[in-house]
Amino acid sequence: MKLNYHKTLAAIALGTACALPSMAETVSQELCLNFEDVAVGTKYNSFWGGPNDKIAVVEDADQGHCVYVSGDSGENPDVWSTYARIPSISAPGGCALKDLLMVTVTYKATIENPDVPLRIQFLAGGTSTGYCEPVAPTDAIVFNEWATATFDASELGLSADGMNAMTFGLAFGFNGSTRYYIDDITFYFEKEMTQRELDEAALDKTTAACVTVDFDDIEANEAGCPNLGSNGGMTNRADMIVDKGPEGYNNNCAHIIYGGYTNIFIWNYIKCPEGYTFDDLREVEYDIYETEIPGKDASNGTEFPGKNGAPVIKIKDAPWSIDSNVNGSDCGNAALSTVNEWHHVSFKPSGIAWAARDFEITEGEGDDAVKTPVHWDADQTCAEMGKKTSFAISIGFFPCLNQCYVDNVKLWFQKGAQSGIEDTVIDAAEAEIFTVYNLQGIAVMRTADEAQINTLAPGLYIANGKKYLVK
């Protein structure tokens, strides 16, 4: 399955105050899943289970590689109540499900049943709410020819936490009517970039401050290393070492032998350049090499063979009183395409999710000690982390099932926008911009005047999550 990203940036003037111009940038991004690079016969999951030979990639004369759902119940070949399922998809570029405008699916239904439309369901990553209710398309279903179904994302019905999810599962199908083909699945996102995202986009590496982790400065040590450790803080591990890396590599690098469900490499502690804090961090990048050798826990000999998950970063405050909630990823949260060769990955701090924290502050000693409960929401946790001048970073794979190597770790710091611009007061009514899409997912208008939508050709459009019928 191939994930293609397309991004467009539009600078929109919102107003002025105190003679300082304020600009907001809206990013429109498309994520398209197609199956052209997936081998014929590859199986996908059913809704209620694992890979199923009745949900597999085939080659269609008109469409090329696509998924064909051919399941039947045995007694009634036309009824098979399950959907095909893709368990994990990552939204592009810091977007969440709340930024999703619509979804289009290319399909061919081979059983005529106009009362059973193609439906999709979402499962928000990290939530316990399960799949949302099925969503039906805005278009009429076409029988026995390739067509496109359009889904309005405002009808997903996810919880508030679910709408904030950056990763999600997708289920799709004709419930009770099988034998259909699915090809391009395209997600259309639009979001106003935060100040941090704008600052990250403005990174100039020719002038930015850079902190590097140079393993050549660390003596190779097969017994462990005090600067490498597990997510829980255990260092000097025999399965997280510094050595010369894969055959033919002449520089020291981190060699991760351990395999399992943990963030596998922590560097303690990254020191920000003088005058900078974590808020000034704009990018983290590193090189990573995945082998086919099973990971092995040095403490008990347990092996973890299998394809590694996605490269990740995770941030902790020393001594870890502040912890990022999930693995942040700016490289699509996808596994590497090949093994036994180096890959370069990069991450933006805006892609890191932070969790709420509850803790106690103790004042006084002994019998005079008073404990005061403190609650931070996720935004405050992020803000407190932003003040730090040192932190720990966890990188590598999650999960890590095969052994891997990491080298050339770089952290880029750059000051952001001047103070004062963020404090500009903007009239919300004047600031609303309408980006209008047709049913093919093409942006056909961007306007601050909602009435202008009615000047388009007759048809159904979606703008800012709402439907517009132009007659």
Side-chain angles (χ1 to χ4, degrees), residues 157-451:
L158 287 167
S159 66
D161 286 343
M163 294 300 286
N164 286 321
M166 295 181 177
T167 60
F168 55 91
L170 178 73
F172 53 88
F174 292 84
N175 191 20
S177 178
T178 61
R179 300 178 187 173
Y180 57 88
Y181 298 81
I182 296 290
D183 194 11
D184 296 337
I185 305 173
T186 305
F187 305 86
Y188 297 87
F189 294 86
E190 183 174 276
K191 71 186 292 288
E192 185 174 311
M193 297 179 72
T194 65
Q195 187 59 55
R196 176 179 276 279
E197 290 170 328
L198 291 171
D199 291 338
E200 289 169 351
L203 173 64
D204 181 359
K205 291 184 178 179
T206 63
T207 58
C210 183
V211 172
T212 62
V213 179
D214 191 347
F215 297 106
D216 285 328
D217 293 338
I218 304 173
E219 183 179 353
N221 184 355
E222 295 188 359
C225 176
N227 296 305
L228 304 183
S230 66
N231 189 51
M234 183 185 298
T235 58
N236 291 303
R237 297 177 62 117
D239 45 18
M240 295 182 179
I241 64 175
V242 173
D243 63 18
K244 287 295 183 184
E247 184 177 355
Y249 196 69
N250 295 318
N251 298 325
N252 280 1
C253 58
H255 181 188
I256 312 305
I257 301 172
Y258 175 81
Y261 289 85
T262 181
N263 295 102
I264 56 175
F265 163 57
I266 292 179
W267 177 265
N268 295 330
Y269 302 103
I270 300 296
K271 301 290 186 182
C272 298
E274 185 175 356
Y276 292 85
T277 69
F278 180 82
D279 257 347
D280 301 315
L281 180 64
R282 300 290 172 246
E283 183 178 305
V284 179
E285 59 180 337
Y286 58 85
D287 295 332
I288 188 165
Y289 184 109
E290 179 182 3
T291 75
E292 294 177 320
I293 304 171
K296 187 173 183 179
D297 189 335
S299 65
N300 55 27
T302 302
E303 290 192 348
F304 298 84
K307 176 68 176 173
N308 280 329
V312 298
I313 61 169
K314 188 174 180 179
I315 302 296
K316 290 176 178 286
D317 165 46
W320 307 351
S321 59
I322 299 178
D323 190 352
S324 62
N325 187 33
V326 297
N327 305 308
S329 174
D330 194 50
C331 61
N333 200 27
L336 299 183
S337 57
T338 58
V339 299
N340 298 324
E341 63 179 298
W342 287 99
H343 292 261
H344 186 75
V345 295
S346 63
F347 306 85
K348 303 294 188 184
S350 59
I352 298 174
W354 300 90
R357 291 190 63 239
D358 291 283
F359 58 98
E360 292 181 335
I361 295 177
T362 301
E363 296 181 351
E365 298 179 356
D367 294 338
D368 296 327
V370 177
K371 294 185 176 181
T372 304
V374 177
H375 172 77
W376 289 349
D377 61 18
D379 288 340
Q380 187 169 0
T381 302
C382 179
E384 294 296 331
M385 184 65 211
K387 304 172 186 176
K388 301 296 180 179
T389 57
S390 66
F391 54 92
I393 182 170
S394 176
I395 58 181
F397 283 111
F398 180 81
C400 186
L401 303 177
N402 291 337
Q403 296 188 36
C404 68
Y405 299 90
V406 173
D407 199 9
N408 299 323
V409 182
K410 296 181 180 180
L411 298 94
W412 296 92
F413 293 80
Q414 183 172 275
K415 291 295 182 181
Q418 297 297 315
S419 60
I421 293 179
E422 295 107 325
D423 298 329
T424 301
V425 177
I426 301 169
D427 186 331
E430 294 178 359
E432 185 168 16
I433 299 296
F434 296 88
T435 302
V436 187
Y437 294 84
N438 63 18
L439 294 185
Q440 286 70 50
I442 300 172
V444 296
M445 177 183 287
R446 188 183 296 272
T447 177
D449 183 0
E450 186 176 11

